[in-house]
Amino acid sequence: MTTGLHPGGTPQDPRPTGNHALPTQERVGQGTAHADDRTGSSVITARAAASFEPVGRSVATARSFVRDTLQGWGFADIVDDAVVLTSELVTNAVVHAGTSADVLCLRSDDGVRIEVADHYPEREIPLQATAVSMGSPDREGGRGLQLCAALAGRWGVDYTPTRKQVWFQLDLPARAIGTRTAGPSLPADLLPLADGRVRVAVVQIDRTGAINAWNEDAEELFGYAAEQVTGKPLTDLAAWPHTPGTSTGIVEALQLSRWEGSYGVRCADGRVTPVYASHLRVRDTSGEPSTVCLLVRDHERAVLQTPLRGPASDSGSHSEGQATDPFEVFIGSPAPDDLDGLLQRTVERARDMLDGDSAFLLLATDDETELEVRASTGLPSARQRFARVPVEAGPGRYGSARMPAVHEDLAVVPGAVPLLGGTGMRSVVTVPLKVEGRLTGSLGVAAESPGRYSNEEALRLQFAADRIALAVESARLGELERLRRGSLSFLVEASDLLAGTLDRDQTLALMAQMTVPTLATWCAVYTIADQASEPYLSYVLHEDEELIDGLKALLSKIAPPDPVPTPGARVWSAPAAAAHEAALRTSMRSLGLGEQASVSSGIGTTLATAAAVGGETVVLPLVARNRVIGMLTLGKPSDEHFRQEILELAEDLSRRAALALDNARLYSERTAISQSLQRSLLPPELPHIEGVEVEVIYRAAGEGNEVGGDFYDLFPIRDGAYGFAIGDVCGTGPEAAAVTGLARHALRLLAREGYGGPAVLERLNSAILDEGARSRFLTLLYGELWPQEDGSAVLKVVCAGHPLPLRLRQDGTVEPAAEPQPLLGVMEDLELYEQTVTLDPGDVLLCVTDGVTERREGTRMLGDDGLADVLTTCTGLTAGAVAARIMRAVERFASDAPSDDMAILAMRVPGLQTD
């Protein structure tokens, strides 16, 4: 797309010039003007031009171009008409003609002229007199020209040898000088309702989205003092969007030059207050932009809502004194940006037009088998919203929504219009909304008195429905596209979050937090441990935190839903029934009725909890690996229904959540098994040795590992004799841990059979070699300890390839307590010998694995000398203090986390205790 904008002056004509211009053909709407006389009656003050490629997405881009251009020129009154016409004409060019489209917008003092040209001049239209009907609006061809005839002040078609151009002129409505909009005087009973005092919150948002102004009315409405919210992002307070169908995010809305709509604000008490807001983007004298937000309570939206523009009068089409057809309001009013706003305005206009007491509009599902309530006025809309009724409700023409129908008295034919059951409405007229012969919805108007409507009113309503059906369908498709894009983003984010954890409890919390309040008002997750287990209520969340406890109490008192593996959402009526029953009991107790004693038992919930659960509740199975592992339950407050699009999105989410939950379960089970096996490889609690202090510190490398390649043991051999060992298997992880278990259990067994230290290690070496490919090298320090009556201790040690034990004397000297010998698991024939060491009172024997001595920081290594230096500072310390100081020195030596297993065994002979 190429664009150009030229303020002021007379623009250059972008069309080809030369001597090959063909005579101009014109189709006249409300007036006639030649294409070349566009500057004759008024001065063109600005122009904007753009070219669009012959692809489908160009239509949407052209609509955005025209909308942005006219809004920038301040022509908001005619934006919607211009966008509709441009959309049709560009569609003709890029879709039907298959060529690029050139769009030119020309601004003058009294209106806007828009020209749309394609490069297919042979695609002409036959000449027609203005009095000849242009055919059915449902047909495919010529609809863009029909719209020009209906909406434009002037329009025409020009041909040249290389292009065909359709142009239209939109005039600005005449208003008194200084008046922007004006409405008629209304009786008091028709004025919008408001509280005794209307409070208008004024909130100013800086360019970063943070609040920098907060007036007194904002404090009263939302409960926050100005100092509590100043500097905080508005996103912390806004529940966006509050009105279904509003897809613009708050960040995007704050960047727009102008925005109006509904959303919610989270108040200081935790509740969400629906508000209607008007945003205006401004800049200060230094050029710094900010957004001023005016907010009122949603039912007082008339205070801020832009008044509707009435249809422009035209003397050429209406004689003096002739009343404007009421249906023109559907054409002349600027359409709201969102679908819900358009539908709500439609039902209000339809009700006023036929002087009814209520009106409703339903949209058809994609397969045209059901109609979904999307807007109503004069009816309990909260109870009916998103409820569904079949298109074919019964036999005959009056049982199908595809045909107009008039019911003079619903009391005679009860159930003829299920939507009106119990509303007090007696007469009703309904008509279909169709686009290209396809049913897209149904519009109805009802009255409390019978016999109010006849075929004449049905024809009038049908005419109105035909005029707005295309706009409604376009808005609906736009909303579906926005919902699909939002759904994809939502599912991508949900998948990332669910994949980011293997913790079961965190997965349950994420499931609930992703659904509330985005998809539902409250959520409950049931889990099933195995096929024989009953569903268990594992997690409950409500958008109002004060209601969570009451909701949990309510659900815990009723039977869980059946774990049916059938995909899709199914309605679960038990929570709503239990909530209504609990509310009735609470009301009876509050009234002090005679049945107080009998109703005091049962579910003790508040009326607020009952209202929060009283709407539609659906259950989606959580199926993973062909097994139902739980249910995801979503609920709405009293008498609200779920949209089909929301249920489809929830179903997609449930599939992802089920797999994430099952992965978390499997991970938890395997972690529990791994930890149980690892703990079995650790020795039980150390025995108490009379006359010897013993302390062990053990650290396994790797997240979740409790046992690695390093190990230790201290066990009694026989009366007065104890065996001790500290070793290191080559490598880390489960393979090394397996050899660890073999070594530790073999040492105990052989030592208790009476073998000496060398014999024990030689037989252990043979056992390791017998493991074949699973065998691993093993360094081991093994010794036997005999406490003596004089307070000393005698040790016999064998050091098979292990770091030498260090002996700390009372005078602070440190020396090795053994000599190095070959490690285990390499050679079959080993000749090992043991050495005898006597620990005097106050001496310490320190045994470590190489994870301690090989601790590195860059090119530096702690080493044997560094360990000895630390040990020299431990004179007079207990065994526990010695081990702790060694570990602290190792951890401080390098900033990175240890990458190898570490074990420290410290033994100290304190000497005889004297009184």
Side-chain angles (χ1 to χ4, degrees):
M1 182 186 79
T2 58
T3 62
L5 184 63
H6 309 278
T10 302
Q12 296 294 326
D13 195 331
R15 298 172 298 173
T17 59
N19 299 322
H20 304 286
L22 295 181
T24 297
Q25 296 183 357
E26 293 187 349
R27 295 295 175 266
V28 180
Q30 297 171 343
T32 304
H34 192 277
D36 293 333
D37 69 355
R38 58 190 176 201
T39 61
S41 59
S42 60
V43 176
I44 295 177
T45 57
R47 62 171 275 174
S51 296
F52 303 92
E53 297 298 322
V55 293
R57 62 176 179 272
S58 293
V59 179
T61 309
R63 287 197 296 265
S64 300
F65 164 70
V66 172
R67 182 180 298 277
D68 294 342
T69 299
L70 298 192
Q71 285 181 342
W73 289 348
F75 291 165
D77 286 331
I78 60 175
V79 162
D80 294 282
D81 290 349
V83 168
V84 170
L85 294 176
T86 303
S87 179
E88 288 292 332
L89 298 179
V90 172
T91 299
N92 289 340
V94 303
V95 175
H96 301 302
T99 74
S100 59
D102 300 326
V103 179
L104 175 65
C105 301
L106 302 175
R107 183 182 71 183
S108 62
D109 296 334
D110 55 355
V112 170
R113 175 186 172 114
I114 297 179
E115 301 174 357
V116 179
D118 62 39
H119 298 271
Y120 190 8
E122 293 83 2
R123 194 170 180 269
E124 300 185 1
I125 59 172
L127 287 173
Q128 288 182 334
T130 58
V132 177
S133 171
M134 300 190 70
S136 169
D138 290 336
R139 70 176 186 173
E140 182 66 24
R143 189 166 53 203
L145 300 179
Q146 281 188 290
L147 289 174
C148 288
L151 300 180
R154 292 179 297 171
W155 65 281
V157 182
D158 303 333
Y159 291 96
T160 72
T162 58
R163 62 169 51 193
K164 174 171 67 76
Q165 175 180 277
V166 181
W167 60 267
F168 59 88
Q169 176 89 25
L170 294 175
D171 298 327
L172 293 177
R175 295 196 185 100
I177 296 176
T179 302
R180 181 173 182 267
T181 58
S185 299
L186 294 176
D189 57 348
L190 295 182
L191 296 175
L193 293 175
D195 291 347
R197 177 189 171 190
V198 177
R199 298 186 181 275
V200 180
V202 181
V203 183
Q204 191 154 2
I205 313 300
D206 63 20
R207 70 187 310 162
T208 66
I211 299 170
N212 58 18
W214 185 267
N215 72 339
E216 294 181 357
D217 279 0
E219 296 182 6
E220 291 292 333
L221 284 176
F222 309 126
Y224 297 104
E227 56 270 15
Q228 291 180 274
V229 296
T230 300
K232 291 185 177 180
L234 183 61
T235 51
D236 290 354
L237 306 180
W240 192 285
H242 180 76
T243 302
T246 303
S247 61
T248 304
I250 189 168
V251 177
E252 293 84 355
L254 292 175
Q255 296 299 319
L256 298 177
S257 61
R258 178 76 178 174
W259 186 90
E260 280 190 29
S262 296
Y263 53 92
V265 174
R266 302 185 188 278
C267 300
D269 59 4
R271 300 182 180 275
V272 176
T273 296
V275 299
Y276 188 83
S278 176
H279 295 179
L280 178 65
R281 189 79 164 160
V282 298
R283 59 188 175 93
D284 58 21
T285 54
S286 61
E288 185 71 14
S290 63
T291 302
V292 177
C293 307
L294 306 181
L295 302 93
V296 297
R297 281 167 290 215
D298 194 62
H299 64 275
E300 298 169 346
R301 62 167 58 193
V303 175
L304 298 181
Q305 192 169 26
T306 301
L308 305 178
R309 174 171 62 89
S313 60
D314 179 47
S315 59
S317 58
H318 300 283
S319 59
E320 273 191 38
Q322 182 179 358
T324 302
D325 191 317
F327 294 117
E328 291 296 327
V329 297
F330 290 101
I331 301 300
S333 300
D337 292 334
D338 63 296
L339 175 63
D340 286 315
L342 175 63
L343 299 183
Q344 190 63 34
R345 181 182 300 178
T346 299
V347 295
E348 291 172 356
R349 296 293 179 84
R351 180 195 61 184
D352 297 342
M353 182 181 62
L354 296 187
D355 194 22
D357 296 310
S358 64
F360 52 90
L361 193 150
L362 302 87
L363 294 184
T365 56
D366 292 338
D367 56 4
E368 297 183 25
T369 60
E370 289 184 304
L371 294 168
E372 187 178 62
V373 180
R374 292 300 300 270
S376 65
T377 181
L379 295 175
S381 57
R383 178 171 65 89
Q384 303 293 347
R385 186 169 178 81
F386 301 122
R388 293 194 167 200
V389 296
V391 170
E392 307 293 342
R397 60 174 284 144
Y398 295 111
S400 174
R402 301 181 187 276
M403 300 293 292
V406 177
H407 294 277
E408 296 183 351
D409 193 351
L410 293 177
V412 179
V413 191
V417 183
L419 179 65
L420 301 179
T423 62
M425 300 297 159
R426 296 286 298 277
S427 57
V428 60
V429 54
T430 61
V431 296
L433 276 70
K434 293 184 177 181
V435 175
E436 298 180 357
R438 182 174 59 86
L439 179 69
T440 60
S442 177
L443 177 64
V445 179
E448 296 179 351
S449 58
R452 284 280 298 275
Y453 303 114
S454 63
N455 289 339
E456 181 181 353
E457 283 78 13
L459 290 174
R460 297 178 63 200
L461 189 61
Q462 184 66 70
F463 180 70
D466 293 341
R467 301 295 289 271
I468 56 99
L470 183 61
V472 169
E473 181 66 2
S474 298
R476 187 185 74 88
L477 293 176
E479 181 196 56
L480 288 177
E481 182 62 26
R482 290 191 297 270
L483 284 175
R484 290 190 181 99
R485 289 198 300 266
S487 298
L488 289 175
S489 300
F490 173 79
L491 291 174
V492 168
E493 182 179 358
S495 299
D496 289 343
L497 290 173
L498 291 171
T501 179
L502 288 172
D503 182 82
R504 176 182 176 275
D505 294 337
Q506 189 173 0
T507 302
L508 290 172
L510 283 174
M511 290 170 58
Q513 292 167 5
M514 285 186 293
T515 57
V516 177
T518 305
L519 305 181
T521 305
W522 61 270
C523 169
V525 183
Y526 291 84
T527 56
I528 303 174
D530 51 59
Q531 299 287 353
S533 302
E534 292 294 324
Y536 174 75
L537 183 61
S538 298
Y539 201 91
V540 176
L541 184 65
H542 194 284
E543 66 178 6
D544 186 348
E545 295 182 357
E546 296 180 357
L547 299 179
I548 294 178
D549 292 338
L551 176 59
K552 188 180 299 182
L554 177 70
L555 294 176
S556 63
K557 297 294 184 179
I558 61 178
D562 296 330
V564 179
T566 306
R570 70 181 192 276
V571 177
W572 184 34
S573 59
H580 291 315
E581 182 181 355
L584 177 61
R585 291 177 175 177
T586 302
S587 299
M588 293 176 67
R589 284 197 299 268
S590 65
L591 295 174
L593 300 180
E595 300 181 9
Q596 182 173 357
S598 63
V599 300
S600 59
S601 60
I603 304 172
T605 185
T606 64
L607 293 175
T609 302
V613 188
E616 187 176 54
T617 302
V618 296
V619 178
L620 297 106
L622 298 174
V623 181
R625 298 176 175 90
N626 298 320
R627 186 174 73 87
V628 180
I629 63 171
M631 286 87 70
L632 177 64
T633 304
L634 307 178
K636 287 282 191 179
S638 291
D639 298 325
E640 286 196 18
H641 299 268
F642 284 96
R643 295 184 59 179
Q644 184 63 25
E645 295 84 359
I646 296 299
L647 294 180
E648 292 172 357
L649 180 58
E651 187 177 355
D652 286 339
L653 176 64
S654 68
R655 287 194 290 267
R656 290 165 169 78
L659 187 59
L661 184 60
D662 200 47
N663 288 339
R665 178 187 64 82
L666 293 175
Y667 178 78
S668 299
E669 290 178 356
R670 282 157 176 70
T671 300
I673 294 173
S674 173
Q675 291 175 345
S676 178
L677 291 175
Q678 290 185 68
R679 293 190 190 102
S680 69
L681 300 177
L682 293 173
E685 61 182 25
L686 299 177
H688 174 71
I689 302 177
E690 188 71 29
V692 179
E693 297 175 358
V694 179
E695 182 65 29
V696 174
I697 296 179
Y698 184 83
R699 298 284 190 274
E703 183 179 356
N705 291 333
E706 296 189 22
V707 177
D710 291 6
F711 68 95
Y712 68 92
D713 202 358
L714 179 64
F715 55 92
I717 299 176
R718 51 189 174 273
D719 291 343
Y722 296 87
F724 67 91
I726 183 169
D728 184 3
V729 179
C730 175
T732 59
E735 295 83 1
V739 179
T740 294
L742 170 66
R744 194 176 67 80
H745 291 293
L747 288 175
R748 287 195 173 214
L749 178 63
L750 294 171
R752 287 171 177 171
E753 288 294 324
Y755 292 99
V760 168
L761 267 62
E762 289 168 1
R763 284 165 174 75
L764 176 59
N765 179 64
S766 299
I768 294 175
L769 293 175
D770 288 343
E771 291 292 305
R774 295 181 298 174
S775 65
R776 289 180 173 251
F777 304 151
L778 170 64
T779 67
L780 179 64
L781 172 66
Y782 174 74
E784 296 179 357
L785 169 68
W786 287 272
Q788 302 298 307
E789 294 181 357
D790 61 357
S792 63
V794 175
L795 294 86
K796 292 184 179 180
V797 297
V798 181
C799 186
H802 198 77
L804 300 179
L806 299 179
R807 176 181 182 179
L808 172 65
R809 297 182 180 275
Q810 292 191 42
D811 59 3
T813 59
V814 175
E815 60 185 7
E819 295 177 354
Q821 300 184 58
L823 76 166
L824 308 181
V826 179
M827 299 179 294
E828 293 185 0
D829 298 327
L830 289 180
E831 294 183 3
L832 303 174
Y833 58 91
E834 62 184 10
Q835 297 173 272
T836 302
V837 180
T838 301
L839 295 181
D840 297 326
D843 289 355
V844 175
L845 184 70
L846 176 66
C847 309
V848 300
T849 58
D850 60 5
V852 174
T853 56
E854 294 180 1
R855 177 73 164 147
R856 294 179 179 275
E857 174 68 21
T859 58
R860 297 187 307 118
M861 186 173 69
L862 180 62
D864 296 333
D865 294 338
L867 179 63
D869 291 341
V870 176
L871 185 59
T872 58
T873 65
C874 298
T875 305
L877 299 181
T878 63
V882 171
R885 179 169 292 186
I886 298 297
M887 178 56 71
R888 190 160 53 248
V890 172
E891 291 174 343
R892 291 177 177 176
F893 186 81
S895 58
D896 295 336
S899 58
D900 195 6
D901 304 328
M902 291 188 295
I904 299 174
L905 171 62
M907 293 183 290
R908 177 176 179 269
V909 180
L912 294 176
Q913 301 293 328
T914 58
D915 296 334

